[in-house]
Amino acid sequence: MKKIKAAIVNGVNQDYVLEDVYLDEPRANEVLVKLVASGICHSDEAFRLGEAPYNFPAVFGHEGAGIVEEVGEAVTTVKPGDHVVMSYAFCGHCPSCMHGKPATCAEWAQRNVTGRRLNGDGIFFKEDKETVISTILGQSSFTTHTVVDENNVTKIDKEVDLRLVGPLGCGFLTGSGTVFNGFKPEVNSTMAVFGTGTVGLAAIMAAKIAGCSTVISVDIHDHRLETAKSLGATHTINSRKVDALEEVQRLTGGLGADYVIDTTGLSDVMKTALDATAQGGTYAPVAVSSNELKFSPFGEIVASTKTIKGVLMGDAVPQASIPQLIEFFKQGRFDFDKVVKYFDFEDINAAANASNSGEVIKPIIIIDKEYKA
Ligand SMILES: [Zn+2]
Ligand SMILES: [Zn+2]
């Protein structure tokens, strides 16, 4: 086992604490990654703050980017020295994985949210070398080093700044993938996006790339709506000032939007988003939230032939989608760098607070300060 430093959450609602912990060796199909940086995703915070249950202690973080340091003997897709972005874990051989749908992997839950390896073994341990510290998404990136399954890493171009790209493994992947893979909108479609966090803004950028003619951003903060506009929203609605449903209908010729995403997870907003979906349209609620959405199936879904679609992790194959997003970024069509803010690893609590308060859209913690792009 290797002694490393990680930001641990020891119990629900507790702060991150930097601790010396032990990391197990990579097994045959695993990769040891030295982290350069990691985004903080709202899901990390949802688990830390108890909005969804988790096994503590835990090493959160699932938007990591770094350099491969060691690989198990069965690993074929990466080698030491490769630059990688990490995403979620999948088996690679179940029917869903074989059909190119790893986000619906039969082993998704076991590999991503139990906090352990598939056979129940831990990866991170407390100083006693026995107490298991849970992982998340088979990844855990708020740490100097981690061990992940080979399927969890996507090799990327070495020219790309590793400090920036970690969030392409979750937030930006989820938002863009919901559009590219979940909706596959026809050119000239209309889309409404509720919320302007990472996922919402990624959806807006993707909607523009996909050729949607009307891309409506709905939020309650004017400055966030300005950001949405700068990234591709054709219209913005401040739902504190005007009725969002009426306004979406007005902007879409009375029809409602063909595609609607809710990224807020708030019951009343999810309802407005469903109501703002056009007849025959598709609605995807994507927030990690335990709030309920109440509707009458016949009146609101059947009679209006609407579809409510579950899209997890943007239904993306990370190894295909992450390089694609980097390509869009290089072309100036996916300017996600405009919404990130860097923090030192030691300031991870401040970074998380800045995200929760809405002050920063995507905080990224710099773990390896020696790294130079
Ligand atoms: Zn996430
Ligand atoms: Zn699978």
Side-chain angles (χ1 to χ4, degrees):
M1 281 202 246
K2 187 183 172 82
K3 196 171 191 176
I4 56 133
K5 206 169 261 312
I8 308 296
V9 179
N10 284 303
V12 67
N13 249 319
Q14 296 190 24
D15 281 352
Y16 296 96
V17 191
L18 289 191
E19 283 184 24
D20 289 328
V21 299
Y22 285 94
L23 177 66
D24 198 10
E25 309 295 327
R27 295 185 182 169
N29 56 340
E30 292 176 338
V31 178
L32 170 66
V33 177
K34 181 175 193 285
L35 271 297
V36 167
S38 176
I40 298 181
C41 174
H42 184 73
S43 320
D44 296 312
E45 285 298 286
F47 290 123
R48 182 174 73 89
L49 301 172
E51 289 161 23
Y54 217 75
N55 291 323
F56 294 94
V59 190
F60 289 128
H62 57 276
E63 292 186 342
I67 301 171
V68 174
E69 212 166 77
E70 210 181 306
V71 298
E73 68 268 18
V75 171
T76 57
T77 55
V78 289
K79 56 182 190 312
D82 282 347
H83 289 194
V84 293
V85 169
M86 291 182 280
S87 187
Y88 63 91
F90 55 91
C91 77
H93 50 71
C94 72
S96 290
C97 284
M98 295 303 282
H99 280 101
K101 297 273 178 197
T104 40
C105 175
E107 295 175 352
W108 207 90
Q110 289 128 285
R111 287 178 180 263
N112 286 283
V113 291
T114 60
R116 292 167 179 252
R117 286 180 168 109
L118 202 56
N119 71 353
D121 289 354
I123 289 181
F124 290 88
F125 298 87
K126 286 275 197 175
E127 276 201 296
D128 62 9
K129 297 190 179 176
E130 277 178 19
T131 309
V132 174
I133 309 171
S134 297
T135 55
I136 188 166
L137 286 209
Q139 180 179 153
S140 290
S141 58
F142 299 158
T143 167
T144 56
H145 300 75
T146 191
V147 166
V148 300
D149 190 276
E150 179 178 13
N151 284 339
N152 208 306
V153 299
T154 296
K155 184 176 163 180
I156 60 157
D157 182 347
K158 282 191 180 165
E159 282 166 30
V160 177
D161 188 345
L162 277 173
R163 289 169 298 194
L164 176 64
V165 289
L168 296 180
C170 181
F172 292 107
L173 186 73
T174 297
S176 61
T178 300
V179 175
F180 293 141
N181 311 311
F183 289 159
K184 298 191 180 82
E186 303 77 13
V187 169
N188 281 333
S189 301
T190 57
M191 191 175 301
V193 181
F194 286 74
T196 55
T198 307
V199 175
L201 294 173
I204 287 167
M205 291 187 277
K208 190 182 170 195
I209 292 169
C212 292
S213 56
T214 302
V215 183
I216 304 165
S217 172
V218 186
D219 201 88
I220 53 172
H221 299 293
D222 284 331
H223 67 280
R224 303 277 289 233
L225 291 166
E226 289 295 315
T227 304
K229 197 143 202 182
S230 75
L231 294 176
T234 57
H235 302 81
T236 60
I237 297 173
N238 184 326
S239 57
R240 272 208 179 130
K241 297 180 181 167
V242 293
D243 185 294
L245 175 59
E246 281 176 17
E247 198 58 12
V248 170
Q249 282 170 337
R250 190 183 68 79
L251 293 169
T252 51
L255 300 171
D258 300 322
Y259 299 96
V260 178
I261 305 182
D262 173 72
T263 67
T264 72
L266 302 168
S267 294
D268 55 337
V269 180
M270 290 193 284
K271 182 71 171 78
T272 304
L274 175 62
D275 291 345
T277 305
Q279 283 211 359
T282 306
Y283 166 53
V286 299
V288 176
S289 158
S290 46
N291 293 329
E292 291 188 353
L293 167 61
K294 287 206 174 112
F295 58 87
S296 116
F298 185 79
E300 296 177 68
I301 303 296
V302 180
S304 54
T305 61
K306 290 183 189 180
T307 302
I308 298 180
K309 194 167 170 107
V311 189
L312 184 64
M313 300 300 303
D315 206 6
V317 180
Q319 287 77 1
S321 295
I322 292 170
Q324 178 71 75
L325 292 177
I326 289 175
E327 206 47 44
F328 285 139
F329 168 66
K330 286 182 180 170
Q331 295 167 1
R333 302 161 81 193
F334 197 82
D335 295 336
F336 72 105
D337 58 323
K338 283 188 183 165
V339 301
V340 312
K341 186 174 175 193
Y342 295 114
F343 290 81
D344 285 340
F345 194 15
E346 294 72 28
D347 298 328
I348 183 168
N349 289 297
N353 292 339
S355 162
N356 296 338
S357 71
E359 181 194 328
V360 174
I361 294 174
K362 176 53 70 182
I364 293 179
I365 51 164
I366 302 296
I367 297 167
D368 180 2
K369 292 187 192 105
E370 315 280 285
Y371 169 83
K372 289 199 174 50

